[in-house]
Amino acid sequence: MPIKVLDKNTIGQIAAGEVVERPASVVKELVENALDAGATQITVEARGGGVGRLRVTDNGAGIPAGEAALAFERHATSKITGPADLENIASLGFRGEALPAIAAVADVELLTRSDADAAGTYLRLEGGAVVKEAAQARARGTTVTVAGLFRRVPARLKFLKTTATENGHIANIVSRYALAYPEVAFELIIEGKTSLKTSGRGRLIDAVIDVYGVATAGKMLAVRPPEGEFAAGAEAAVSVSGMVGAPELDRVGRGHLSFFVNRRWVTSRRLTYAVEEAYRGLLMTGRHPVAVLNIALPPAEVDVNIHPAKSEVKFRDEAGVFRAVQRAVRRALVSEMPVPQVGETTAAYRSASSSPQTAWSPPVNRPDMPLSEAPPMLAATLPVLRVVGQVMRAYIVAEGPDGLYLIDQHAAHERIRYDKLRQQRTEARPEVQGLLEPVALEVTPPQAQILGACRESLAAYGFAVESFGERTYLVRAVPALLAGEDWEALLRDLLEELSGEARSDWEERILASLACHGAVRSGQALSDEEMRALVRQLETTPNPHTCPHGRPTVIHLSAARLERDFGRS
Ligand code: ADP
Ligand code: MG
């Protein structure tokens, strides 16, 4: 075939493919337009998974009558005027591609009125061309109705999933924007039924309640910018705020992580990783946190023009943003993490593990628990405790300023060791115990492979191991925490375990093993002195409330609870 420039219609279809992947993409673009127009009320209606009909109604600024048809021309936008503006994008849209892309793959009706016009404007487009234009009454705002989506693009239609799945994607988009804009009242109506409705009162916690329910909202911790903390360079320009779930609020998938960059919903593996790093040691493996995070930074620090759907962004200083997010989340977790209360503890931890939630399920607009019963957010770190004694050779009983505390001796000690090793690792200053004579360690061929590959990680925690012939290694020093312990057995076990793990998980596995091995066991009698030492260390360790596997270390029976249970109040 000879080379030819494609006709306008084909070009439009190709371009549309990048913007409109599925019905939820249409919803995203229309909601973004409504938000850019300053709407305070946005209603989204979907039928037939969005393929039947989609309608987005807003009370925003509207489109002036003379510009309505122009809005459907490719690259027509009111949001930027030239290349310089691309450096400083403050609106959600800017490419001028959404409306023409939608009109290229569906029949579209527009009804809009701006303050400047006495009457509204009605437009109907088929195959991307205006087939009808008329004046029609309407209050200020815009309604876009999209019907027969992909009817003329059978290839795309074939790739869509079930109605329920597509509706799920639509609910996902609307929920994310409801979280990003708590001051906007959203309503989502799916197949004629209201599936989500937010108050638009303006507080993030209200939006979180509307989207996730009261029980989840009650376990969210506030993320705030640091007070008076020294921040340098780009990090100083980044402000991270929002809410993150207490570790017990864990989920099977990553669908409960929402990131907004200058209030644009984005997906980012980097940001996901930053948050998960902050939870390291607080969640069980395979579980993921809940988070709603707003990252605000000067528009020039972020490039939003890297993806036609604008769902990914590039930061000028990726590492700086990563650090800021990780620190902000960590700060929230450390300073606000509640000590679990008796009664709530087992229920909360059990329900988290027994109700696996996959990716995203459309929000249920039914609070599952009255707000007053939401667990109280208690003190930051552990209060100073007076050791009373040991029960069942497993738990330390202690008295605090507000009642009784039960401490799981193994979990607590494991946590203390974990935090200590982790800190030494971060500071690259492992506490080492040199051996009087090097010990020869003979290993199997597969173990030799692993040991060779993980030697550096082991060294970071204080193991000095060197190769001595094919299958023999010489150990010259071990982590001080393991002095006097059977570290040889630990090393062998570890090599076994690492062989079944992805290499990226090795570090964490080594850390967890070192923390667990040598920690006080359950069933071990402790002297008063030993118990006191353990409790003192727990009081000062950075993350006293859970063991590295995410289980609680401390259970609190408050004075009020005791009085109530004894019928004194
Ligand atoms: P972009 O949002 O990138 O500018 P669109 O194709 O989505 O491109 O929209 C084109 C233009 O139409 C916008 O720049 C805006 O001026 C106008 N517009 C679209 N939707 C609305 C709306 N809901 N309210 C007011 N103006 C709108
Ligand atoms: Mg747009």
Side-chain angles (χ1 to χ4, degrees), residues 83 201 224 311 372 397 424 517:
R201 269 200 294 262
R224 300 187 187 89
S311 54
S372 57
V397 182
Q424 292 175 5
H517 196 96

Side-chain angles (χ1 to χ4, degrees), residues 33-34 37 58 62-63 71 76-79 93-100 142:
N33 280 347
D58 70 59
I63 307 177
T77 178
S78 60
K79 298 170 192 176
F94 58 90
R95 301 172 61 102
E97 284 188 326
L99 291 183
T142 302

